[in-house]
Amino acid sequence: MTAGAIRHPGEIYLVVRTRSILACVIHWVLFCSVVTLAVTGAYIAWPSYYFGKGEAYATFTMADIRYYHFLAATFMMTSLLVRFYLAFTESCHKDIKQFLPTPRNIKNAVQLAYHFATGRGKHPHYRFVNPLGGLGIFLISASLFIMVCTGFLMYLPAETPGTIWHSWAFSIAHSLGGLQIVRLIHHVVMYVIIALVLIHVYMQIWKNSVYTESDISSIIAGYKLFPLRQIGHFADYYGIKLREKPPSTEEMDSASEPVPAREPPG
Amino acid sequence: MAVREISPQKKVLVYTRNFTNRLIHWATFFSVLVLMITGYYIGEPTAVYGQGEAYNQFIMADIRYYHFLAAMVLDVSLMIWFYLAFMSLHHRYWKEMLPLPGTIKGAAEVAKSYLTFKKPPFYAHFDPFDGLLFMVLILFMVMQMLTGFQLYVQALPADYWWSELIHVTTDWVSALLGGSQHVRLVHHIMQWIMVAGIIIHVYLQIAKTIIWQDGHIGQIVGGYKFRDVE
Amino acid sequence: MARHVIDPITRIEGHLRIEIEVENGMVKDAWSSGTLWRGFEVFLKDRDPRDAWIITQRVCGVCTTVHALASVKCVENAVGIDIPDNARLIRNLIMGAQYMHDHIVHFYHLHALDWVDVVSALSADPKKTSDLANSINQNAPNSGAGDFRAVQEKLKKFVNSGQLGPFTNGYWGHPAYKLPPEANLMAVAHYLQALSLQSRLARMHAIFGAKNPHIQTYTVGGVTCVDDLNADRISEFKYLVEEGRAFIDNVYLPDVLAVAPFYLEWAGIGGGLKNYLSYGMLPGPGGKEPESLWFPRGLITDRDISKVHPVDASKITEDVTHAWYKYRDGKPLHPSVGETDPWYTGIETDRADGKYSWLKTPRYDDMPCEVGPLARMLVNYVSGHKSTVENINGVLKALNKGPEILFSTLGRTAARAVETKVIADNMESWIDELAANIKRGDLETFTPYDMPDSASGFGMTEAPRGALGHWIEIKGKKIHNYQLVVPTTWNGSPRDSKGRRSSFEASLIGTPVHDPKQPVEILRTIHSFDPCLACSVHVIDPKTNEVFTTRAI
Amino acid sequence: MCQLSSGFSPKSSEERVKALAGLDRRDFLSFCSIMAATLGLSPSFIPKIAEAVEKAARRPSVIWLHFAECSGDSEAFIRSSYPSTEELILNILSIDYHETIMAASGEAAEAALQKAMTENKGKYIAVCEGAIPLATPPGPNAKKGDYLTIGGKTGLELAKEVCADAAAVMCVGNCASFGGVQAQRPNPTGAVGIEEAIGKPTLKIPGCPHNPVNSVATIVNFLLLGSFPKTDNLGRPLFAYGKRIHDHCPRRAHFDAGQFVEEFGDEGAKNGWCLYKMGCKGPETYHNCSMVEYNDGTSWPVKAGHGCIGCSEPNFWDNMSPFYGRLPNVILPGVEATADKVGFTLVGAAAVGAAAHGVYTFMNRKKFDPTLKDKEE
């Protein structure tokens, strides 16, 4: 028990709900479907071994893998779509604004990036998604959206011959420079997603370790723990008595302003 | 709305796992993952076919190589883990994992808490229920090591000191189980049991994180969790 | 003295313009211009060397496959690999099929209308035509009086329809046409037969080569059609070869021998240059070049048919004095160090010292050379190539003339016919070798390799139109420099810096011209070369990337 | 597009049958059934096709122009088997100008062109082969398009002149359709397809070279219905370019099974496995090669063990190359690299950046953790 006292002796933390369980579930559905898409996609791009021996008429490895790729894609699209809808609702505290690259968000993200990179300045405590993370999630979502579009542009001409979807997808594919270019985009953007996810995971672990706010449990259990001392100006709210009306999202975000440290109440 | 709710509970941060401890956990995790995947191929080699001339194809050889490599990582991390269980400056946990009367009682209490949702006493490192589960998992890992070495040594040149050492330390396993084919069988079956154990372990950590709001799962990443302020 | 322009020259591949000066009914001077520039070497730069053959094959759709072959050879040379025996045989078969097909198309569809008056055939007596056909060759197919009557009826209806299609504005009735109506009718019948036949013969390419034109079976390291190495495909190929051989033996060669006596004066016209160059082709077992080549590599100078000189590729230079390019110091350069700087001065320039063509002017050891079937046959003949010697002597005997008549327009056309027969007769031996390999269980068609980071190589072969060479320089596994020196560049190029003419221009000098507005005599000589312009116009690599300045629109 | 206003004065079908002398009835009907099959029509259309061909008493005038090309499409066209080239020339079409086969040269050829254009104004089919170079060569007297001159005119001038009065413009081959081989990077002559050069919609029969089955079927559709067949939005007839090669490939079962040729000449190649890993572009190419094959159904590239190179698609020389690779290279300013190289660099940079940041923050952890700082103070 000795180690417990090395950092933050006596620091009081408050459990702060950051996500609905629904949002957590969607995150992991999205994660699993993207992993499945990446793995099956890798096979489709480099089918270096063949699975299942036998006559071609009775073996369907590539067909099956493509099937799972498409299946995972529907999961991915559905969860992305549901999450997008929830971003406008209370159950996800209407967080759409936190993900959009608005000038304010970008400005805050730059400041935050500077802090993360150098350690200079005070650490801003964001209850939900911080502007830098929001920007990253925006980029990942946008990349996923590109994957959905290019995926459909390849899927529709192949799987829906003779329909309006076919000619529709075909026109768009050709205006982009042909199916081969669509394929190239689909392939390269996957690397972009891998890189962004890598950074995302690293940043979560890093924040979890450096700021001791339990960021990791936020995506699993839906809460974080904030040091009471450092979110002093919310103390009356976080402290003993609950305020009638919860603070607005803007108020939460502006928690990045330097706050004078106080003794924890109680 | 649920998401806006902020718990009035006050918590205090507690360091529960030092860096070495966490590192060992993840080394164990990744090596077991690799062992499971490569082991699946070795047990079910028709899963992947190599193409081309046999003299130029090394799929099974490569996969066995990574299996052994991962096993080495696991062996080393387990050894360090055992050493620290008795010698750690931070937390000597060997007692917490033995089925002593106190541990069993605590474990029963924790098990009850899962059913009644009544929060058990705070355990900084792991609760007695986990302790017993870890003991089981560790025992399985040790058995996998023993059976694994026994299988491994069959392919080693006999006049090699290293193989002599393995023979001396693990031949009794073969004798006990009744021949190398049974060793293989046990190695295979125990893996499936371990998979079940790992699933239970992961589930419990997530459940505890959600129910008790102690940031429990974060401790294996950041090294800390939280304790209620009385 | 009038200057006459013939533009476009038709019944050739590509865009060619000939200008002549006529004095006293004879050509006094001539200029040949290639009028299309595509820039192959520019876009070959930075490509994957393995793709080069697919791209370079598109320089010509008529002698398709020959650029493909030269290209895979030059990359294989750079990579340093030998191809399996089956690949060599399939390449030889495809090359042989190319010659059988291309020469027949050239003679009947690109060249025959220079000698045959289609309209005159309307007044022929089918019975006499049949007698004529049978007197030349007893095995002539479809040569009954009824057959010729049907052709004549078809032709009559066609002419009476008033829509002459491709025969519109032909030089019908021109005094240079000397065949009797019966011979004309026979030739027209064979024109139509050959039209159907060539479409069947093209299938030889398709069997192993996927399609024709532009086969798709080569790859650096061999061929891809391993799945086609079976009895079914081989017998299909064999029967098509037989069909082609029957036509060559019973129609093509007899036709040449039947028409030639009426145009014997053309054995003295259109000779042109005195040097003949052949790179040789069709490698034998082992594939070593030039040792194993079935058609030898060699050079004949000054029409001296007692001696063949060896060929050294490093003696080839290209000159741009009269071509629409600029060289920094104006001197002729070897292709591998050539420069690119297009400099277009307009089509109506002063021919004496101006630029007037997109073709560069290649020279071997500072000598203008003729390339093509005549050059190949001469080199074969002088080297003692057995079947060539037999067949040429047979033709000379039939015409009752000596070898000197070969140096002419007629000689060129005869050489092409002889070559077709020589190659067609040897097709079977390659098929048998291939069948024997398959029987032995040898299905190897590809040699694996690793693309070197940097290397250089060259590939030389013969296109139906003449000597073809590709040069490649690889850097960073990409094409750094790629050059082609192609047959029609040798033959159709403008003058060099010393004012010496190339083949087209030289061979036109002294040609009688009855009416410059109906230049059928000019066409005879030009067509005897089988010009192929698309491949001739190209640029040499820009080490300095200067060519990109030409992109400004 | 391309509607024909009663181009041919109908004469008695008897007269037309006479004009078809020499083509015996059986051959003729077999030609008609092949055309019906190619156009995807039911067998009940066979007599209608026969009638349409027979009724067109005045053969449609065709003016065939060559621009920047290799004549491969002319060569392909004369490989037609059903009907044979002879039938096409003598009985079905009136090919009034075609540099590769016409008797006349020079001025006589020019005159033939003018005659055909005047006599058939608004009714002839302009068949274009080859791209139009639009760039201006450097040089004192150069003007736009001088990389190609025919009869003293630039290709662009000729194309505009001839296509203006055509009933329809049909582009054969990839060069005429989309610019083709000379239009690949860096396109030194500024070559473009006919449509882009003349600014008028054209019907396209791309391919390198095109399959004569498709050009002839298109012409027969024209004779049968008085209009060209339905096309996709690129102007390619749907009957020939409506389906992907990949979806009708005889090797498709091996694709779905995951059985691939790893190297030319290996066991997979001998067993006719899928050429996907050899860079086959069947999955992105719309063409009917896998169904009609070439040269009278003899073979086609995938049958000969070589991957498809996508020759019916726009810019295939750039998009589909390297031809032995699955994906085109990524071209960034000053850099050309494979997609995977770009990807690995990207992911590698992210990983290295993360690791460097991790080390940096560990070394400077006091900066990040005010508690530690407080404690020291």
PDB file of all heavy atoms in Angstrom, chain C residues 168, chain D residues 61-63 94-97 110-121 124:
ATOM      1  N   THR C 168     -13.320   3.375-104.303  1.00  0.00           N
ATOM      2  CA  THR C 168     -13.619   4.694-104.862  1.00  0.00           C
ATOM      3  C   THR C 168     -12.323   5.411-105.238  1.00  0.00           C
ATOM      4  O   THR C 168     -11.355   5.388-104.470  1.00  0.00           O
ATOM      5  CB  THR C 168     -14.370   5.549-103.824  1.00  0.00           C
ATOM      6  OG1 THR C 168     -15.437   4.780-103.300  1.00  0.00           O
ATOM      7  CG2 THR C 168     -14.905   6.819-104.427  1.00  0.00           C
TER       8      THR C 168
ATOM      9  N   SER D  61     -23.010   4.524 -95.499  1.00  0.00           N
ATOM     10  CA  SER D  61     -21.663   4.999 -95.811  1.00  0.00           C
ATOM     11  C   SER D  61     -20.843   5.125 -94.529  1.00  0.00           C
ATOM     12  O   SER D  61     -21.323   5.638 -93.524  1.00  0.00           O
ATOM     13  CB  SER D  61     -21.763   6.366 -96.493  1.00  0.00           C
ATOM     14  OG  SER D  61     -20.490   6.936 -96.583  1.00  0.00           O
ATOM     15  N   VAL D  62     -19.635   4.600 -94.581  1.00  0.00           N
ATOM     16  CA  VAL D  62     -18.754   4.668 -93.423  1.00  0.00           C
ATOM     17  C   VAL D  62     -17.493   5.424 -93.815  1.00  0.00           C
ATOM     18  O   VAL D  62     -16.869   5.121 -94.822  1.00  0.00           O
ATOM     19  CB  VAL D  62     -18.384   3.250 -92.932  1.00  0.00           C
ATOM     20  CG1 VAL D  62     -17.270   3.326 -91.901  1.00  0.00           C
ATOM     21  CG2 VAL D  62     -19.595   2.550 -92.359  1.00  0.00           C
ATOM     22  N   ILE D  63     -17.168   6.428 -93.041  1.00  0.00           N
ATOM     23  CA  ILE D  63     -15.898   7.125 -93.245  1.00  0.00           C
ATOM     24  C   ILE D  63     -15.033   6.808 -92.043  1.00  0.00           C
ATOM     25  O   ILE D  63     -15.394   7.118 -90.909  1.00  0.00           O
ATOM     26  CB  ILE D  63     -16.119   8.642 -93.396  1.00  0.00           C
ATOM     27  CG1 ILE D  63     -16.913   8.895 -94.672  1.00  0.00           C
ATOM     28  CG2 ILE D  63     -14.785   9.372 -93.426  1.00  0.00           C
ATOM     29  CD1 ILE D  63     -17.249  10.344 -94.897  1.00  0.00           C
ATOM     30  N   SER D  94     -20.686   0.522 -96.803  1.00  0.00           N
ATOM     31  CA  SER D  94     -19.967   1.143 -97.904  1.00  0.00           C
ATOM     32  C   SER D  94     -18.822   1.930 -97.266  1.00  0.00           C
ATOM     33  O   SER D  94     -19.006   3.053 -96.801  1.00  0.00           O
ATOM     34  CB  SER D  94     -20.901   2.063 -98.688  1.00  0.00           C
ATOM     35  OG  SER D  94     -20.179   2.664 -99.732  1.00  0.00           O
ATOM     36  N   ILE D  95     -17.672   1.279 -97.197  1.00  0.00           N
ATOM     37  CA  ILE D  95     -16.544   1.918 -96.520  1.00  0.00           C
ATOM     38  C   ILE D  95     -15.881   2.862 -97.509  1.00  0.00           C
ATOM     39  O   ILE D  95     -15.040   2.479 -98.296  1.00  0.00           O
ATOM     40  CB  ILE D  95     -15.577   0.862 -95.971  1.00  0.00           C
ATOM     41  CG1 ILE D  95     -16.339  -0.063 -95.011  1.00  0.00           C
ATOM     42  CG2 ILE D  95     -14.405   1.532 -95.259  1.00  0.00           C
ATOM     43  CD1 ILE D  95     -15.539  -1.173 -94.444  1.00  0.00           C
ATOM     44  N   ASP D  96     -16.303   4.112 -97.465  1.00  0.00           N
ATOM     45  CA  ASP D  96     -15.910   5.050 -98.507  1.00  0.00           C
ATOM     46  C   ASP D  96     -14.540   5.662 -98.277  1.00  0.00           C
ATOM     47  O   ASP D  96     -13.928   6.188 -99.198  1.00  0.00           O
ATOM     48  CB  ASP D  96     -16.968   6.163 -98.619  1.00  0.00           C
ATOM     49  CG  ASP D  96     -18.292   5.600 -99.119  1.00  0.00           C
ATOM     50  OD1 ASP D  96     -18.241   4.608 -99.879  1.00  0.00           O
ATOM     51  OD2 ASP D  96     -19.345   6.126 -98.743  1.00  0.00           O
ATOM     52  N   TYR D  97     -14.076   5.648 -97.051  1.00  0.00           N
ATOM     53  CA  TYR D  97     -12.744   6.184 -96.801  1.00  0.00           C
ATOM     54  C   TYR D  97     -12.154   5.381 -95.658  1.00  0.00           C
ATOM     55  O   TYR D  97     -12.748   5.285 -94.565  1.00  0.00           O
ATOM     56  CB  TYR D  97     -12.821   7.668 -96.421  1.00  0.00           C
ATOM     57  CG  TYR D  97     -11.464   8.327 -96.227  1.00  0.00           C
ATOM     58  CD1 TYR D  97     -10.786   8.902 -97.305  1.00  0.00           C
ATOM     59  CD2 TYR D  97     -10.868   8.375 -94.966  1.00  0.00           C
ATOM     60  CE1 TYR D  97      -9.543   9.498 -97.132  1.00  0.00           C
ATOM     61  CE2 TYR D  97      -9.620   8.975 -94.792  1.00  0.00           C
ATOM     62  CZ  TYR D  97      -8.962   9.538 -95.870  1.00  0.00           C
ATOM     63  OH  TYR D  97      -7.741  10.125 -95.707  1.00  0.00           O
ATOM     64  N   GLU D 110      -8.165  12.124-100.896  1.00  0.00           N
ATOM     65  CA  GLU D 110      -8.832  13.327-100.387  1.00  0.00           C
ATOM     66  C   GLU D 110     -10.154  13.541-101.102  1.00  0.00           C
ATOM     67  O   GLU D 110     -11.166  13.858-100.489  1.00  0.00           O
ATOM     68  CB  GLU D 110      -7.939  14.555-100.643  1.00  0.00           C
ATOM     69  CG  GLU D 110      -6.683  14.575 -99.808  1.00  0.00           C
ATOM     70  CD  GLU D 110      -6.992  14.966 -98.391  1.00  0.00           C
ATOM     71  OE1 GLU D 110      -7.288  16.144 -98.167  1.00  0.00           O
ATOM     72  OE2 GLU D 110      -6.968  14.078 -97.530  1.00  0.00           O
ATOM     73  N   ALA D 111     -10.127  13.337-102.435  1.00  0.00           N
ATOM     74  CA  ALA D 111     -11.335  13.542-103.233  1.00  0.00           C
ATOM     75  C   ALA D 111     -12.404  12.533-102.837  1.00  0.00           C
ATOM     76  O   ALA D 111     -13.588  12.868-102.748  1.00  0.00           O
ATOM     77  CB  ALA D 111     -11.009  13.421-104.725  1.00  0.00           C
ATOM     78  N   ALA D 112     -11.979  11.280-102.578  1.00  0.00           N
ATOM     79  CA  ALA D 112     -12.942  10.257-102.172  1.00  0.00           C
ATOM     80  C   ALA D 112     -13.606  10.653-100.870  1.00  0.00           C
ATOM     81  O   ALA D 112     -14.815  10.465-100.682  1.00  0.00           O
ATOM     82  CB  ALA D 112     -12.242   8.906-102.019  1.00  0.00           C
ATOM     83  N   LEU D 113     -12.823  11.229 -99.979  1.00  0.00           N
ATOM     84  CA  LEU D 113     -13.360  11.665 -98.692  1.00  0.00           C
ATOM     85  C   LEU D 113     -14.403  12.756 -98.899  1.00  0.00           C
ATOM     86  O   LEU D 113     -15.508  12.706 -98.357  1.00  0.00           O
ATOM     87  CB  LEU D 113     -12.218  12.162 -97.801  1.00  0.00           C
ATOM     88  CG  LEU D 113     -12.606  12.759 -96.464  1.00  0.00           C
ATOM     89  CD1 LEU D 113     -13.332  11.732 -95.609  1.00  0.00           C
ATOM     90  CD2 LEU D 113     -11.389  13.280 -95.724  1.00  0.00           C
ATOM     91  N   GLN D 114     -14.029  13.753 -99.713  1.00  0.00           N
ATOM     92  CA  GLN D 114     -14.956  14.865 -99.949  1.00  0.00           C
ATOM     93  C   GLN D 114     -16.240  14.371-100.585  1.00  0.00           C
ATOM     94  O   GLN D 114     -17.342  14.788-100.221  1.00  0.00           O
ATOM     95  CB  GLN D 114     -14.293  15.929-100.847  1.00  0.00           C
ATOM     96  CG  GLN D 114     -13.140  16.669-100.194  1.00  0.00           C
ATOM     97  CD  GLN D 114     -13.536  17.318 -98.863  1.00  0.00           C
ATOM     98  OE1 GLN D 114     -14.663  17.749 -98.678  1.00  0.00           O
ATOM     99  NE2 GLN D 114     -12.589  17.367 -97.919  1.00  0.00           N
ATOM    100  N   LYS D 115     -16.082  13.439-101.527  1.00  0.00           N
ATOM    101  CA  LYS D 115     -17.251  12.905-102.243  1.00  0.00           C
ATOM    102  C   LYS D 115     -18.184  12.201-101.251  1.00  0.00           C
ATOM    103  O   LYS D 115     -19.404  12.438-101.245  1.00  0.00           O
ATOM    104  CB  LYS D 115     -16.747  11.924-103.306  1.00  0.00           C
ATOM    105  CG  LYS D 115     -17.815  11.248-104.134  1.00  0.00           C
ATOM    106  CD  LYS D 115     -17.187  10.571-105.365  1.00  0.00           C
ATOM    107  CE  LYS D 115     -18.181   9.639-106.058  1.00  0.00           C
ATOM    108  NZ  LYS D 115     -18.122   8.269-105.589  1.00  0.00           N
ATOM    109  N   ALA D 116     -17.611  11.351-100.416  1.00  0.00           N
ATOM    110  CA  ALA D 116     -18.435  10.600 -99.467  1.00  0.00           C
ATOM    111  C   ALA D 116     -19.148  11.547 -98.518  1.00  0.00           C
ATOM    112  O   ALA D 116     -20.328  11.359 -98.181  1.00  0.00           O
ATOM    113  CB  ALA D 116     -17.570   9.627 -98.682  1.00  0.00           C
ATOM    114  N   MET D 117     -18.448  12.604 -98.105  1.00  0.00           N
ATOM    115  CA  MET D 117     -19.064  13.539 -97.164  1.00  0.00           C
ATOM    116  C   MET D 117     -20.191  14.317 -97.803  1.00  0.00           C
ATOM    117  O   MET D 117     -21.224  14.580 -97.181  1.00  0.00           O
ATOM    118  CB  MET D 117     -18.007  14.507 -96.617  1.00  0.00           C
ATOM    119  CG  MET D 117     -17.119  13.875 -95.567  1.00  0.00           C
ATOM    120  SD  MET D 117     -15.747  14.921 -95.136  1.00  0.00           S
ATOM    121  CE  MET D 117     -16.575  16.383 -94.576  1.00  0.00           C
ATOM    122  N   THR D 118     -19.998  14.700 -99.056  1.00  0.00           N
ATOM    123  CA  THR D 118     -21.031  15.491 -99.732  1.00  0.00           C
ATOM    124  C   THR D 118     -22.239  14.624-100.061  1.00  0.00           C
ATOM    125  O   THR D 118     -23.379  15.012 -99.803  1.00  0.00           O
ATOM    126  CB  THR D 118     -20.478  16.081-101.050  1.00  0.00           C
ATOM    127  OG1 THR D 118     -19.102  16.371-100.842  1.00  0.00           O
ATOM    128  CG2 THR D 118     -21.216  17.316-101.458  1.00  0.00           C
ATOM    129  N   GLU D 119     -21.978  13.442-100.618  1.00  0.00           N
ATOM    130  CA  GLU D 119     -23.099  12.601-101.059  1.00  0.00           C
ATOM    131  C   GLU D 119     -23.934  12.092 -99.893  1.00  0.00           C
ATOM    132  O   GLU D 119     -25.121  11.856-100.045  1.00  0.00           O
ATOM    133  CB  GLU D 119     -22.560  11.393-101.841  1.00  0.00           C
ATOM    134  CG  GLU D 119     -22.205  11.737-103.275  1.00  0.00           C
ATOM    135  CD  GLU D 119     -21.665  10.531-104.021  1.00  0.00           C
ATOM    136  OE1 GLU D 119     -21.676   9.423-103.451  1.00  0.00           O
ATOM    137  OE2 GLU D 119     -21.217  10.716-105.161  1.00  0.00           O
ATOM    138  N   ASN D 120     -23.282  11.858 -98.760  1.00  0.00           N
ATOM    139  CA  ASN D 120     -24.002  11.244 -97.637  1.00  0.00           C
ATOM    140  C   ASN D 120     -24.140  12.195 -96.465  1.00  0.00           C
ATOM    141  O   ASN D 120     -24.178  11.777 -95.313  1.00  0.00           O
ATOM    142  CB  ASN D 120     -23.279   9.978 -97.183  1.00  0.00           C
ATOM    143  CG  ASN D 120     -23.104   9.000 -98.309  1.00  0.00           C
ATOM    144  OD1 ASN D 120     -24.060   8.426 -98.800  1.00  0.00           O
ATOM    145  ND2 ASN D 120     -21.876   8.841 -98.752  1.00  0.00           N
ATOM    146  N   LYS D 121     -24.206  13.475 -96.794  1.00  0.00           N
ATOM    147  CA  LYS D 121     -24.214  14.461 -95.718  1.00  0.00           C
ATOM    148  C   LYS D 121     -25.296  14.156 -94.686  1.00  0.00           C
ATOM    149  O   LYS D 121     -26.450  13.938 -95.017  1.00  0.00           O
ATOM    150  CB  LYS D 121     -24.443  15.850 -96.316  1.00  0.00           C
ATOM    151  CG  LYS D 121     -24.194  16.947 -95.320  1.00  0.00           C
ATOM    152  CD  LYS D 121     -24.171  18.304 -95.982  1.00  0.00           C
ATOM    153  CE  LYS D 121     -23.958  19.349 -94.875  1.00  0.00           C
ATOM    154  NZ  LYS D 121     -24.025  20.696 -95.366  1.00  0.00           N
ATOM    155  N   TYR D 124     -23.804   9.628 -92.997  1.00  0.00           N
ATOM    156  CA  TYR D 124     -22.707   8.659 -92.879  1.00  0.00           C
ATOM    157  C   TYR D 124     -22.307   8.450 -91.419  1.00  0.00           C
ATOM    158  O   TYR D 124     -22.576   9.268 -90.553  1.00  0.00           O
ATOM    159  CB  TYR D 124     -21.492   9.089 -93.714  1.00  0.00           C
ATOM    160  CG  TYR D 124     -20.896  10.424 -93.366  1.00  0.00           C
ATOM    161  CD1 TYR D 124     -19.981  10.558 -92.320  1.00  0.00           C
ATOM    162  CD2 TYR D 124     -21.232  11.570 -94.098  1.00  0.00           C
ATOM    163  CE1 TYR D 124     -19.428  11.779 -92.006  1.00  0.00           C
ATOM    164  CE2 TYR D 124     -20.693  12.800 -93.786  1.00  0.00           C
ATOM    165  CZ  TYR D 124     -19.789  12.899 -92.737  1.00  0.00           C
ATOM    166  OH  TYR D 124     -19.240  14.112 -92.424  1.00  0.00           O
TER     167      TYR D 124
END
